[in-house]
Every structure is written in C-alpha cells, then in structure tokens.
C-alpha cells in the first residue's frame, strides 16, 4: 500500500479537470482560428453522425450479468442488469441512459452517474450527471473523492465514472479537445463554404479604373456592388461597368482550393478519431458492395468493443458482486441477410450444435413440437452408438421371427 501511495503522490495528486486558466494556457489555439469544443462539436455533421451512431448502437444492445462456472458461464438474474438494461431511474429508459452516458464520454472524455442507494446499501437508481459539473480530487495519500456543483462531496462508491483514454488513467481526455486542430479546420471549411455561397458563390473581385478615384468614390463603388450582387437572391444579376473600368478575380474559387477534397479528408479525420468506418459517415469514395460485411466486423472490433469494455469493467468494479460480470449482446449487429442466417443455422443444426427449435428461436420464430432434440448425420454419429443401434435392430428382428 505504501508503494501505491508514493506512486499516487508522485503522479496523481491534484485536481481533475484542470482549471480553465491552466487549460487555456497549456492548450495551443487552433491555427484555423476556429474553436471546437464539447458543447458545439455536435453542430458539425460528421461528428454528430459518429457520436450518435456509436451511442445508439451501444444503447440498443441487450445486457446481461454472468458468472463463470465449472461448465462455462451462466446468465444470472440480477437487479443491476435490470437497472442498466431497462429502468436505471425514474426519468429514462435503459436505452436512453446508456446512450446519454456514451455520448457524454465521447465528447467530454468522462461520463458520470450518481449511484443512489437505500439505507441498507441496495442500489436503487443510476442518475446521469453533467460532466462539466463534476470535479475529481486525488489526495496525496492516494484517496479519491468527487465534488458535484449541487450535491457537494461524493465518495467513489457514489459515482459511476466512465473514462475515455487519458494521460494517467485517472481522468479521461476529451477526443474533441485532443483533435481540436483537425476539427477547427473542418469548421473553417464550413465557414468558407457558407461565406462563399452567401455571396452567391461570387469570388472576391478587384475593380480597376483608368483614373485615380477618391476615397468616397471607391466606397461608393464598393457599396453599390455589395448592395446589388451580394447574397443568394442577387445571383445572376448582370455586372455593369462604366468609365472604362475592368474587373479581375483576386480570390481562388472553391474548386481551385480543392474545397470538396478537403471536406472529404476532414470526414476521414473524424472516422479516424472515433474509429467509425468512413462509409458509415456517408463517405463512399472507397466503399464497395464486397467489403460491407468486413466493414461491419471492423466497426465492432475497432470501435464498439472498446466502449463495451469501458462499460463492462466500470460496472463490474462499481456495481456487481465479486465473480459477476456484464456482457453486451452484439449478435444483432452481426446478423447478416435472411439467406445468410438460414444457411449458417442449417449448418449448426446438421452438425448437432443447435436443435431445430433453437435455430427457430434465433429467427424469432415459435417452437414446434418434435423439433427440440438434436439431429446428427449418420456419418458423424458416434461409432459405438451406431453398433449398439444396429445390434438392437437385429435383436428386434430375431424376436419378431420367433413370435
């Protein structure tokens, strides 16, 4: 224990998150000049799509509590499973609860829920807390406590704390802030496109007059052009030049700055940030019909399973009895077409892995009488059992001959 305390004193003692002043000093400002943070990131469509996709997919998976036994593992009726899966509190369903906390940890890097207990210590509710309202303190001796703006001091036993990857494992870092430079560039691209189309896609122009114009004349020409040609409603109006004036374009068009290609690259950056395949964000530039199933598998393996593990391990440590653990059922996400399902179930039934009624249950069909026993082809059945069955047939035939 002394070693742990020395380690905590050296590396972990302090307050999480940092103060706003420290964060502003330590975090460099994006070179694009655009600030993207946890509160406004969802206004960028690719980020909104990635976060809602992950949080919705994780929220729709059924959850169960298991315990490992000598014969494998068994599902156990559990009040914690009912809380997390169905009714975590009086305000929301299990789906809404898991979606909310997953969305928060994807944006802020941390998500919190208050663990409401009875006087006997039974867990009654799990109530989400705003991530910005929670601060964590690590004492020099390694002890931890939280402070919430309305509830005050809270012990670790009163908090369910989901964490994104961080620097020291005690506090998660916001993916949004970690990628502030890339996301700021995406926001700047949107503003550039919006400003261009606000001016009817007209680039910046230079009006050249053969004579020297007074400041008032320059201002008059500039204002007249702005009043007549700025805005989408003025698109297509003719440009009339007088007194030998000429006009030159001094700003590159969106095509010349490869705006669309840059926007596509920013979508791919969001794909890299959250681990969501780019076609899931509507970037179909490199997708084919042949790689859809591989893409689904990759999405589950490289994205969802990470957050599933965060949920399962946090719940195991904070809510479950020793020896119990939670699992999320990903079978719905891996389910192929009806043809693929039937083919795989046929192989399972014929090899004796599933009974026919168990296969029907996988397709959400009701059981039928006489289909609950496993079947096995003769060329795969046990040799000794075949010999016994053949001997029994011979005995039955001999008995019938004697009678």
């Amino acid at each position: 224990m002394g070693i742990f305390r020395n380690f905590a004193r050296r590396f972990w003692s302090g307050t999480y998150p940092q103060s706003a002043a420290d964060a502003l000093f330590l975090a460099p400002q994006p070179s694009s000049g655009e600030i993207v943070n946890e509160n406004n990131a969802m206004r960028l469509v690719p980020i909104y799509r990635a976060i809602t996709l992950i949080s919705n997919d994780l929220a729709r998976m059924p959850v169960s509590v298991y315990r490992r036994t000598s014969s494998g593992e068994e599902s156990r009726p559990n009040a914690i499973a009912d809380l997390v899966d169905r009714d975590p509190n009086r305000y929301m369903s299990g789906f809404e609860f898991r979606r909310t906390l997953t969305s928060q940890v994807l944006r802020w890097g941390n998500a919190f829920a208050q663990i409401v207990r009875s006087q006997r210590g039974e867990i009654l509710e799990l109530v989400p807390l705003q991530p910005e309202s929670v601060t964590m303190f690590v004492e020099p001796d390694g002890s931890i406590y939280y402070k919430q703006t309305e509830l005050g001091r809270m012990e670790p036993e009163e908090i369910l704390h989901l964490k994104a990857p961080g620097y020291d494992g005690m506090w998660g870092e916001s993916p949004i802030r970690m990628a502030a430079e890339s996301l700021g560039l995406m926001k700047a691209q949107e503003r550039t496109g919006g400003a261009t189309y606000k001016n009817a896609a007209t680039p910046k122009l230079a009006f050249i007059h053969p004579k020297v114009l007074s400041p008032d004349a320059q201002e008059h020409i500039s204002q007249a052009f702005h009043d007549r040609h700025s805005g989408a409603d003025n698109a297509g109006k003719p440009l009339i030049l007088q007194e030998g004036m000429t006009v030159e374009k001094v700003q590159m068009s969106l095509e010349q700055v490869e705006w669309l290609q840059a926007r596509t690259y920013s979508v791919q950056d969001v794909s890299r940030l959250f681990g969501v395949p780019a076609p899931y964000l509507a970037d179909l530039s490199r997708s084919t019909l042949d790689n859809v199933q591989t893409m689904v598998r990759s999405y589950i393996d490289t994205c969802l399973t990470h957050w599933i593990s965060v949920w399962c391990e946090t719940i195991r440590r904070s809510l479950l009895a020793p020896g119990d653990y939670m699992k999320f059922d990903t079978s719905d996400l891996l389910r192929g077409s009806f043809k693929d399902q039937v083919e795989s179930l046929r192989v399972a039934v014929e090899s004796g892995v599933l009974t026919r009624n168990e296969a029907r249950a996988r397709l959400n069909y009701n059981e039928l009488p006489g289909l609950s026993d496993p079947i096995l082809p003769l060329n795969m059945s046990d040799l000794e059992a075949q010999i016994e069955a053949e001997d029994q047939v011979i005995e039955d035939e001999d008995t019938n001959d004697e009678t």
Side-chain angles (χ1 to χ4, degrees):
M1 186 64 180
I3 296 176
F4 173 79
R5 287 182 177 176
N6 290 334
F7 185 76
R9 185 179 297 111
R10 182 175 178 183
F11 294 102
W12 289 343
S13 179
T15 304
Y16 298 86
Q18 297 172 331
S19 67
D22 290 342
L24 184 62
F25 176 76
L26 294 173
Q29 296 300 301
S31 57
S32 64
E34 298 293 340
I35 305 298
V36 179
N37 55 38
E38 299 89 344
N39 292 307
N40 65 13
M42 295 287 275
R43 296 177 184 175
L44 297 173
V45 175
I47 296 178
Y48 180 90
R49 170 60 176 166
I51 290 178
T52 55
L53 179 70
I54 296 171
S55 55
N56 282 324
D57 278 343
L58 192 143
R60 69 189 178 102
M61 297 181 198
V63 299
S64 301
V65 170
Y66 292 83
R67 170 165 290 193
R68 194 164 299 282
T69 65
S70 58
S71 58
E73 63 179 13
E74 63 178 9
S75 177
R76 297 167 56 85
N78 191 284
I80 301 301
D82 291 338
L83 273 177
V84 176
D85 192 40
R86 298 183 181 88
D87 300 299
N89 56 64
R90 72 196 80 174
Y91 313 107
M92 57 181 61
S93 66
F95 177 90
E96 294 166 334
F97 173 76
R98 298 195 299 279
R99 180 177 62 181
T100 298
L101 262 65
T102 304
S103 175
Q104 289 175 348
V105 75
L106 286 168
R107 284 186 286 163
W108 275 273
N110 298 274
F112 305 93
Q114 179 189 11
I115 303 174
V116 181
R117 300 178 186 268
S118 67
Q119 293 182 349
R120 294 182 297 178
E122 298 173 339
I123 299 176
L124 302 177
E125 288 186 316
L126 299 172
V127 182
L129 302 172
Q130 284 294 333
E132 294 174 307
S133 70
V134 179
T135 307
M136 186 178 74
F137 297 86
V138 182
E139 300 285 22
D141 64 355
S143 61
I144 299 172
Y145 69 92
Y146 297 84
K147 275 190 178 180
Q148 204 271 341
T149 52
E150 296 180 0
L151 301 175
R153 176 168 175 146
M154 303 179 72
E155 300 301 325
E157 295 78 16
E158 301 176 90
I159 288 279
L160 185 71
H161 183 184
L162 302 177
K163 308 170 195 173
Y167 292 114
D168 56 12
M170 300 294 289
W171 190 263
E173 295 296 329
S174 166
I176 303 299
R177 291 191 180 273
M178 297 293 285
E181 184 70 34
S182 295
L183 301 184
L185 177 60
M186 175 186 289
K187 187 175 180 181
Q189 292 165 359
E190 287 201 349
R191 288 175 61 88
T192 299
T196 300
Y197 285 101
K198 179 181 178 181
N199 292 320
T202 302
K204 184 179 292 186
L205 303 176
F207 291 90
I208 303 174
H209 197 279
K211 299 180 180 179
V212 177
L213 300 177
S214 66
D216 290 341
Q218 295 177 25
E219 180 64 26
H220 175 74
I221 293 174
S222 176
Q223 188 62 44
F225 176 80
H226 181 272
D227 294 342
R228 183 172 178 82
H229 296 283
S230 65
D233 293 337
N234 293 323
K237 286 187 177 181
L239 178 63
I240 301 174
L241 302 176
Q242 299 178 351
E243 300 180 353
M245 291 177 60
T246 58
V247 62
E248 291 183 3
K249 184 172 64 174
V250 296
Q251 180 187 23
M252 291 188 295
S253 65
L254 294 179
E255 291 82 2
Q256 290 172 317
V257 298
E258 298 184 342
W259 183 74
L260 289 177
Q261 291 87 334
R263 293 274 290 161
T264 299
Y265 185 83
S266 291
V267 172
Q268 294 170 357
D269 258 357
V270 174
S271 171
R272 299 182 190 99
L273 175 63
F274 292 103
V276 176
Y280 280 33
L281 305 180
D283 176 15
L284 305 178
S285 57
R286 297 183 179 180
S287 65
T288 64
L289 293 177
D290 296 333
N291 64 6
V292 171
Q293 193 64 32
T294 303
M295 185 171 55
V296 172
R297 185 78 236 184
S298 172
Y299 168 54
I300 294 175
D301 288 343
T302 63
C303 177
L304 287 184
T305 52
H306 298 171
W307 295 109
I308 290 173
S309 296
V310 169
W311 270 94
C312 291
E313 288 302 302
T314 303
I315 289 175
R316 180 188 64 79
R317 296 182 70 251
S318 301
L319 304 179
L320 295 178
D324 290 346
Y325 56 92
M326 180 167 283
K327 293 179 68 174
F328 283 65
D329 185 0
T330 62
S331 57
D332 282 347
L333 293 177
L334 292 171
R335 184 173 296 172
S337 66
F338 182 78
K339 179 181 178 181
D340 294 336
Q341 293 179 63
V342 171
E343 180 63 24
S344 62
L345 290 174
R346 181 185 66 79
V347 174
V349 168
E350 291 181 352
S351 59
V353 175
L354 296 176
T355 67
R356 286 164 289 181
N357 272 332
E358 287 172 339
R360 291 178 61 85
R362 296 289 183 94
L363 299 173
N364 294 322
Y365 292 164
N366 294 329
E367 292 187 0
L368 293 178
L371 301 182
S372 296
D373 296 326
I375 60 175
L376 198 63
L378 291 177
N379 61 345
M380 296 180 61
S381 60
D382 184 73
L383 179 60
E384 184 177 350
Q386 289 189 43
I387 295 175
E388 291 180 356
E390 292 173 357
D391 291 342
Q392 184 63 44
V393 170
I394 294 174
E395 291 180 4
D396 293 341
E397 291 177 351
D398 292 343
T399 303
N400 292 333
D401 292 340
E402 292 176 357
T403 57

